[in-house]
Every structure is written in structure tokens, then in C-alpha cells.
Amino acid sequence: MKFFTYNETMDRQVKMIQARVRQLMNGEVAQQLQNAGYSYRKLYGVSLVHLRQLSQEFKPSNEIAERLWFMNIREMMILATMIAERDTLTDEKLSEWADGITNIELAEQVAFNLLGKRQSSLKILEKWILHPQVFVRYAALMSIGWQYRFAGEGLSAFLQDNLSTIEALAGDNRLVRAVAHCLKMAGRFDKKFQPKVVGLARKWIASDMNHLKQAGEEILFEIEAAG
């Protein structure tokens, strides 16, 4: 657990956020999450929609986000990804966050709210794509896809250089959804890279591994639907 120096303003805002989260608690959903194996110090079962609405009541702040993340409470950690000022949150700070990414939900929130829209994410993604924790790798793969959607083709060279690594990661059934998302977005928004993505998707469709077949079909469908 990380400890922070006392700051009356920050601590008051964190307590206010936690009180608001408690008001939105859904015990039934919280129990379902616990039964599904989500491991947190606490969780309140608050929906992502309600958390998004709550986050909009606060100005972006990395100081508050840091405090929320290290509380190891589901809703606080998700809110941290929404409240953080992503373009000024350093790679060093994000590296400290990595150990807390212990499930798909958190990985997807980190990817969508932070790394997928953050400028200059290349170095951290280079580290995370081979991170020993599977859900950190998942976050990296999802982030690459969102980077294509929200930030352009800045990772095109990186993706081409690491295509064999990404293909290998797809062999892990826990990561295949994130790999598919990464390649769908790359094939959709990077026309020069699209033939390689299509070729890999067709290769997977001919595979005898069902999770690769499905991933290949999803990738081709996304690219063809986008025209």
C-alpha cells in the first residue's frame, strides 16, 4: 500500500468522492463481481455509467487520481483512470500503477481512459506489451487499438515491428480479445498496414484453434464494415 503525505484539500475531496460512491452502491452487482473473482479491498458495485457521470463533477487531477488508485477499491481505481490528467501523468507514475491492474475491467479502463488517448505513450506501451502480468499486457494491447482510434497512426512503426510478438500473444486465450481489438483498429485506420492485418486474420480463420478463428473473423468483419 502506498502512503501519501497529509493534504487537507486532497483528503477532503477523496472522502467526498468515496461518500458519493457509497450512495451509488449496488449490493447485488457487488456480490456478482465478488462471485466472479474480482479481488479488491472493497467494491460497491457501481456501474461504469454512474462512475463516468461522477468523474465529470471533478477537475482532472493526478494528485487525486493517485490517491484514488492506491486505495484498492474498485470504484476508486476506475475513477482514478477517469480523473487523471492523462497527458501529464508520467510513465514513472503509470509504471507504479501497473501492479494494480489485476483484471480485465481495470485493464480496459486504463486503456480507454488513459493510455489510449494519451500523447507520447510509446515507451510505456513498449514495456507493458511484454509485462509479466497478463492484464498489464492486455491493457497495452487495448491501448494500441484506442491510440489508432483517438490519436492517429503514431504507433504504426511500433506495431509493424512488433507484429510477430502480437501474433504470439494471441495464443493466450486471456489476451486474444485485446489482440483482436488492437488489430481491428490498426487495419481500419492504417490503410498501409491493412493488408498485413487482413493476411493475419485470414491465417487465423484457417486455424484449428477456435479463439483464433473467432478473432480472425472479428477483425475481417470490422475492416470490411468500415470500408
Side-chain angles (χ1 to χ4, degrees), residues 24-199:
L24 297 168
M25 180 176 179
N26 186 320
E28 183 177 348
V29 173
Q31 188 61 54
Q32 290 173 356
L33 291 169
Q34 289 176 338
N35 293 342
Y38 283 77
S39 177
Y40 296 96
R41 184 168 66 84
K42 289 182 183 178
L43 57 85
Y44 295 100
V46 181
S47 72
L48 294 177
V49 172
H50 284 135
L51 292 174
R52 178 75 62 189
Q53 292 171 346
L54 179 57
S55 73
Q56 293 170 356
E57 298 178 17
F58 298 89
K59 292 182 180 179
S61 168
N62 289 335
E63 289 183 283
I64 293 177
E66 278 263 281
R67 283 167 164 76
L68 295 176
W69 181 263
F70 288 100
M71 291 176 75
N72 194 23
I73 297 173
R74 171 185 174 266
E75 288 72 16
M76 303 301 154
M77 296 179 81
I78 293 173
L79 280 169
T81 72
M82 298 175 176
I83 290 175
E85 195 171 20
R86 56 179 173 264
D87 290 328
T88 61
L89 189 62
T90 66
D91 286 0
E92 290 73 22
K93 291 293 184 183
L94 281 166
S95 293
E96 292 179 7
W97 287 32
D99 286 343
I101 305 173
T102 58
N103 59 63
I104 285 178
E105 182 181 47
L106 272 181
E108 291 186 342
Q109 292 303 306
V110 168
F112 183 79
N113 298 321
L114 288 179
L115 286 179
K117 300 174 182 176
R118 178 176 174 266
Q119 299 298 318
S120 303
S121 289
L122 176 59
K123 289 183 179 179
I124 194 74
L125 291 176
E126 286 177 335
K127 293 180 180 178
W128 281 19
I129 199 171
L130 295 175
H131 197 279
Q133 292 183 203
V134 64
F135 294 113
V136 178
R137 299 198 297 274
Y138 189 104
L141 291 162
M142 292 294 290
S143 298
I144 293 169
W146 290 127
Q147 280 276 324
Y148 272 99
R149 176 66 178 82
F150 295 115
E153 300 176 12
L155 295 180
S156 181
F158 166 76
L159 190 59
Q160 294 197 52
D161 290 343
N162 289 274
L163 185 58
S164 60
T165 298
I166 291 170
E167 181 177 1
L169 291 174
D172 187 333
N173 195 37
R174 298 168 298 176
L175 293 172
V176 69
R177 181 174 181 272
V179 170
H181 173 76
C182 167
L183 295 177
K184 282 190 292 187
M185 294 297 102
R188 179 178 174 183
F189 293 101
D190 187 344
K191 298 301 182 183
K192 293 181 180 179
F193 191 50
Q194 188 180 96
K196 288 187 177 180
V197 175
V198 169

